[in-house]
C-alpha cells in the first residue's frame, strides 16, 4: 500500500502545483472560455487548465510503473495511458483552434478503435467487442464534455469514478486498475481548488476529454479483463443517463439535438435555484449511491441483486426528475404561503 499511497501523493502534488506554471501560459496564449448558449457561467474565464491535470495524470502513471505498483499487465496500463494522452491532445487542439464535428468524431472513434483493438489482443478477447469498445470510448469522451458545465462537477466526477475504479482494482486483483483509478482521483482532486476558488479556471476541452478518456479507457480495459460489469458501469450511469435523457427530450421537442444548449439535468438544477456546487453535489451523491449499489450487486445473491437494480433505477429516476420535482414543490409552497383575503 505504501507505493500506491506515494503514487497518489505524487499525482495530487503535481495536480496542485502545475497550474501555477500553466496558468500564465494560458493567459499569454489567450485560451479563454467565452459564455455561449450551453454555458452556465456569465464571464470570460481562463480554460485549458486540463493541460496541467493531463500532465499530472502522465506523471502519476509513470510513477505507478516506476514504483512497482503495477506488477502485472503493465501493457494494459500503457495502452490506457496512450488512449488518455491521444484524446487529451484532440481536446487541446479543439481548445486552440477548433475542429469540425466530423473531424472530432473521426479522431475519437479512431483512438477508441485503436486502443480497444490492442486491449483485445492483450486480454485475449474476441474482436466482436471492438465496435463496442470504440463507441464506448468516443461516446464517454463526449458525455464528459457535455457534462462539464458547472464548477466542480468534473473534478468531483473524476474523484468519485477514480476512487470507485481503485477499489474495483483491489477487489478484482487488477493492480493496473487500482493505480489508474487512484491517479484519476488524485489528478482531479488537485484541480478542484483551482476550479472552485475565486480566480476559478476551467478544464477546457483538453480536460473534459481527459476525464472522459480516463474513465472510458479504464472501463473498457476492465471489462475486457474480466472485472465485474457492475464495477465497470456503476460510476458512469448518472452521466450517461443525464446525457441520454436530455437528448431524448430535445428530439421529442423537435429541437436541433446537436445544437449548443444548457438543458442537461444538472444545468436545469441551477435554473431552479441550485448553486454550481449544489448541482455538482447532486450529481456526485447520485453517482455514489449507484456505485455502492452496483458494488453490492456484483457479488450478491439474486434477490439482493434485484433490489440493488431497482434501487439504482429509482436513484436515476429521481435525479432525472429532480428539477421538475423541485419546481413543483416550490410552486406549491408559494401557493400555501399566499395570504387569504
Amino acid at each position: 500500500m505504501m507505493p500506491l499511497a506515494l503514487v497518489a501523493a505524487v499525482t495530487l502534488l503535481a495536480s496542485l502545483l502545475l497550474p501555477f506554471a500553466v496558468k500564465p501560459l494560458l493567459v499569454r496564449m489567450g485560451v479563454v472560455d467565452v459564455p455561449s448558449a450551453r454555458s452556465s457561467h456569465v464571464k470570460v474565464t481562463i480554460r485549458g487548465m486540463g493541460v496541467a491535470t493531463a500532465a499530472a495524470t502522465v506523471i502519476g502513471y509513470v510513477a505507478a510503473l516506476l514504483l512497482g505498483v503495477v506488477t502485472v499487465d503493465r501493457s494494459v496500463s500503457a495502452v490506457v495511458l496512450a488512449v488518455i494522452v491521444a484524446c487529451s491532445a484532440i481536446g487541446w487542439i479543439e481548445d486552440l483552434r477548433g475542429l469540425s464535428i466530423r473531424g472530432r468524431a473521426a479522431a475519437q472513434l479512431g483512438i477508441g478503435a485503436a486502443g480497444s483493438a490492442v486491449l483485445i489482443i492483450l486480454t485475449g478477447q474476441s474482436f466482436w467487442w471492438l465496435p463496442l469498445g470504440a463507441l464506448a470510448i468516443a461516446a464517454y469522451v463526449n458525455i464528459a464534455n457535455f457534462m462539464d458545465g458547472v464548477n466542480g462537477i468534473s473534478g468531483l466526477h473524476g474523484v468519485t469514478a477514480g476512487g470507485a475504479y481503485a477499489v474495483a482494482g483491489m477487489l478484482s486483483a487488477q493492480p493496473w486498475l487500482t493505480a489508474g483509478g487512484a491517479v484519476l482521483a488524485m489528478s482531479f482532486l488537485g484541480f478542484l481548488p483551482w476550479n472552485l476558488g475565486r480566480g476559478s479556471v476551467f478544464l477546457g476541452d483538453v480536460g473534459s476529454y481527459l476525464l472522459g478518456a480516463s474513465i472510458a479507457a479504464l472501463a473498457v480495459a476492465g471489462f475486457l479483463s474480466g472485472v465485474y460489469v457492475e464495477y465497470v458501469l456503476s460510476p458512469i450511469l448518472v452521466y450517461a443517463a443525464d446525457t441520454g435523457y436530455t437528448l431524448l427530450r430535445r428530439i421529442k421537442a423537435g429541437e436541433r439535438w446537436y445544437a449548443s444548449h444548457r438543458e442537461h439535468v444538472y444545468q436545469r438544477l441551477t435554473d431552479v435555484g441550485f448553486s454550481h456546487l449544489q448541482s455538482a453535489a447532486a450529481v456526485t451523491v447520485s453517482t455514489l449511491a449507484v456505485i455502492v449499489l452496483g458494488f453490492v450487486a456484483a457479488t450478491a445473491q439474486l434477490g439482493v441483486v434485484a433490489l440493488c437494480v431497482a434501487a439504482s433505477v429509482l436513484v436515476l429516476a429521481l435525479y432525472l426528475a429532480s428539477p421538475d420535482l423541485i419546481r413543483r414543490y416550490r410552486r406549491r409552497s408559494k401557493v400555501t404561503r399566499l395570504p387569504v383575503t
Side-chain angles (χ1 to χ4, degrees), residues 21-336:
V22 171
K23 188 175 181 178
L25 295 175
L26 295 174
V27 173
R28 286 200 293 270
M29 296 173 69
V31 184
V32 296
D33 191 272
V34 179
S36 66
R38 64 178 289 258
S39 302
S40 295
H41 63 287
V42 295
K43 65 179 181 179
V44 176
T45 308
I46 297 172
R47 62 184 168 91
M49 191 56 78
V51 170
T53 310
T57 298
V58 173
I59 290 171
Y61 269 81
V62 172
L65 292 172
L66 294 178
L67 293 173
V69 174
V70 183
T71 54
V72 294
D73 292 332
R74 293 184 177 182
S75 53
V76 172
S77 186
V79 174
V80 169
L81 178 59
V83 170
I84 293 170
V85 171
C87 287
S88 299
I90 298 299
W92 178 238
I93 294 171
E94 176 72 11
D95 281 327
L96 287 180
R97 58 183 182 83
L99 286 169
S100 67
I101 295 177
R102 289 183 179 179
R104 193 164 62 236
Q108 292 165 351
L109 281 170
I111 294 168
S116 297
V118 178
L119 288 171
I120 286 170
I121 293 171
L122 292 174
T123 56
Q125 296 291 343
S126 169
F127 267 90
W128 286 110
W129 292 115
L130 180 59
L132 179 62
L135 286 172
I137 291 173
Y140 207 75
V141 167
N142 283 285
I143 287 172
N145 182 249
F146 297 151
M147 293 290 290
D148 184 31
V150 295
N151 291 339
I153 192 168
S154 290
L156 288 172
H157 189 53
V159 172
T160 304
Y165 286 142
V167 173
M170 294 178 184
L171 296 175
S172 306
Q174 301 281 357
W176 63 266
L177 183 56
T178 300
V183 169
L184 170 60
M186 291 301 102
S187 61
F188 279 89
L189 180 61
F191 168 70
L192 275 173
W194 289 90
N195 184 225
L196 298 177
R198 287 186 176 181
S200 63
V201 296
F202 294 161
L203 284 170
D205 288 328
V206 58
S208 61
Y209 283 27
L210 165 72
L211 175 62
S214 295
I215 294 173
L218 289 172
V220 170
F223 175 78
L224 294 173
S225 298
V227 176
Y228 285 124
V229 69
E230 293 89 348
Y231 293 169
V232 169
L233 290 182
S234 57
I236 69 176
L237 286 179
V238 172
Y239 260 41
D242 191 325
T243 302
Y245 177 68
T246 301
L247 177 62
L248 291 175
R249 285 183 75 250
R250 288 176 60 77
I251 292 174
K252 184 179 179 180
E255 300 174 1
R256 291 189 304 163
W257 58 269
Y258 52 86
S260 296
H261 65 90
R262 56 177 316 279
E263 297 178 22
H264 281 278
V265 175
Y266 75 91
Q267 291 170 318
R268 291 166 55 219
L269 282 172
T270 64
D271 293 339
V272 296
F274 276 36
S275 67
H276 280 217
L277 191 55
Q278 287 171 331
S279 174
V283 175
T284 303
V285 170
S286 300
T287 300
L288 283 170
V290 173
I291 287 172
V292 171
L293 291 167
F295 274 53
V296 171
T299 56
Q301 297 296 322
L302 184 58
V304 177
V305 172
L307 289 174
C308 289
V309 170
S312 295
V313 171
L314 178 61
V315 170
L316 293 175
L318 287 173
Y319 167 72
L320 295 177
S322 58
D324 293 328
L325 293 175
I326 293 170
R327 188 177 286 109
R328 290 172 188 171
Y329 173 77
R330 289 181 175 174
R331 284 176 181 172
R332 290 176 182 175
S333 297
K334 288 181 180 179
V335 171
T336 58

